[in-house]
């Protein structure tokens, strides 16, 4: 039987992912620190606006579109950073040089790098990494959706665990960035993050299943934004894992 909530949710999520993909492709780097902070603050402002105006059609869809565009604008430089880091490591690996996290290049290494390094040389390998992250994310989406819609298990019991785990994940990332700067901790945080956001997919699909029959725009917008953020964050965590472990 056709369900309006399911239709709206999946169309909105697809719509958001397409917009983010386009803006991420356009913006490869922040030109100034101000642009980065404005984009960051704007994303939170739009998220709050979506929460407030979730039931106001078509304003809700306009806000969702703007939010998706801003998130994509943030993701573009992040992907570019990971890509450049991956290609640089591949280059030095081919030269028999292994750099530790945070290690600075010597003047000789820097001069050699600037003269001979070609980003395009490792582009196909980096594109393969991105494809693997996209494929793994899509697989997680289909598997979690299948577990919810094809079984009678109620996964709402993981809500409390996920909230605490997410807070700990954020703290872990901040502490490592500010103090330890450890590649191992960064990789461990990415693995934990991938598990957490996969479980969030399970939880949000479960909420969608339980709210079947609800025809309000507010419910569709809320669940769509949650699923969208689950997918984006899972993709980024997987990208970190694939980049760091290659």
């Amino acid at each position: 039987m056709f369900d309006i909530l399911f239709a709206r949710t999946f169309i909105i999520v697809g719509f958001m992912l397409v917009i983010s993909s386009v803006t991420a492709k356009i913006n490869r780097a922040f030109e100034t620190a101000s642009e980065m902070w404005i984009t960051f603050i704007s994303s939170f402002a739009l998220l709050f606006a979506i929460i407030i105006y979730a039931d106001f059609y078509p304003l809700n869809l306009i806000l969702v579109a703007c939010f998706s565009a801003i998130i994509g604008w943030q993701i573009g430089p992040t992907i570019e950073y990971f890509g450049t880091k991956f290609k640089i490591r591949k280059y030095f690996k081919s030269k028999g040089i292994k750099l530790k996290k945070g290690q600075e290049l010597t003047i000789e290494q820097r001069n050699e790098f600037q003269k001979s390094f070609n980003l395009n040389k490792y582009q196909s390998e980096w594109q393969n990494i991105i494809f693997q992250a996209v494929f793994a994310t899509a697989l997680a989406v289909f598997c979690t959706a299948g577990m919810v819609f094809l079984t009678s298990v109620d996964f709402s019991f993981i809500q409390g665990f996920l909230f605490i785990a997410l807070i700990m994940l954020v703290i872990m990332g901040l502490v490592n960035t500010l103090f330890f700067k450890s590649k191992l901790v960064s990789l461990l945080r990415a693995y934990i993050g991938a598990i957490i956001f996969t479980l969030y997919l399970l939880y949000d699909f479960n909420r969608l299943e339980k709210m079947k029959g609800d025809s309000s725009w507010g419910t569709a917008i809320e669940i769509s934004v949650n699923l969208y953020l689950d997918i984006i964050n899972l993709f980024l965590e997987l990208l970190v894992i694939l980049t760091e472990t290659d």
Side-chain angles (χ1 to χ4, degrees):
M1 180 179 178
F2 178 79
D3 187 87
I4 188 66
L5 178 61
F6 278 44
R8 283 177 176 173
T9 299
F10 290 122
I11 290 173
I12 292 171
V13 172
F15 172 69
M16 295 177 76
L17 290 172
V18 168
I19 292 177
S20 294
S21 299
V22 172
T23 53
K25 188 75 173 177
I26 294 172
N27 186 42
R28 298 296 185 88
F30 290 118
E31 295 184 4
T32 63
S34 297
E35 180 190 356
M36 180 187 70
W37 282 109
I38 290 171
T39 305
F40 179 75
I41 294 170
S42 297
S43 64
F44 279 97
L46 284 167
L47 185 58
F48 284 124
I50 289 171
I51 294 171
I52 295 170
Y53 297 104
D55 281 309
F56 292 81
Y57 175 86
L59 178 60
N60 50 12
L61 294 182
I62 295 173
L63 289 171
V64 161
C66 293
F67 177 69
S68 307
I70 288 292
I71 293 297
W73 200 259
Q74 292 179 3
I75 292 174
T78 303
I79 295 175
E80 190 69 14
Y81 167 77
F82 287 141
T84 303
K85 183 179 177 182
F86 170 81
K87 295 169 187 177
I88 289 173
R89 192 165 62 248
K90 294 289 287 188
Y91 169 80
F92 282 112
K93 185 178 179 180
S94 69
K95 298 293 183 179
I97 302 171
K98 186 176 181 181
L99 295 177
K100 297 180 180 179
K101 186 170 183 177
Q103 180 180 342
E104 295 291 334
L105 301 179
T106 64
I107 296 176
E108 292 77 13
Q109 288 174 333
R110 192 178 298 278
N111 290 335
E112 180 187 356
F113 170 75
Q114 291 175 343
K115 290 178 181 178
S116 59
F117 180 63
N118 181 9
L119 280 171
N120 294 325
K121 182 177 180 180
Y122 303 104
Q123 183 64 23
S124 61
E125 293 181 57
W126 174 237
Q127 291 295 332
N128 186 48
I129 292 291
I130 294 177
F131 173 78
Q132 290 178 47
V134 171
F135 177 80
T137 303
L139 184 63
V141 170
F142 285 115
C143 287
T144 51
M147 289 177 65
V148 171
F149 300 138
L150 300 178
T151 68
S152 58
V153 180
D154 184 358
F155 293 98
S156 58
F157 68 91
I158 63 176
Q159 179 182 9
F161 161 76
L162 288 176
F163 179 73
I164 296 172
L166 185 59
I167 292 175
M168 295 302 295
L169 184 70
V170 172
I171 294 173
M172 183 179 179
L174 287 174
V175 170
N176 188 51
T177 301
L178 296 174
F179 302 107
F180 299 117
K181 304 184 188 303
S182 167
K183 178 181 176 181
L184 180 60
V185 174
S186 177
L187 186 59
L188 178 61
R189 194 211 64 82
Y191 274 108
I192 295 172
I195 294 171
I196 290 173
F197 290 115
T198 300
L199 290 176
Y200 259 115
L201 278 170
L202 199 62
Y203 172 72
D204 286 323
F205 276 127
N206 187 73
R207 289 185 63 225
L208 177 61
E209 170 69 16
K210 291 176 70 175
M211 293 182 177
K212 183 167 57 176
D214 188 335
S215 60
S216 68
W217 272 106
T219 302
I221 293 294
E222 179 196 352
I223 296 179
S224 297
V225 171
N226 286 341
L227 285 171
Y228 164 81
L229 290 174
D230 297 341
I231 293 169
I232 291 295
N233 282 293
L234 176 59
F235 167 74
L236 291 176
E237 299 294 3
L238 290 172
L239 198 60
V240 172
I241 292 170
L242 291 169
T243 301
E244 295 291 345
T245 58
D246 180 78

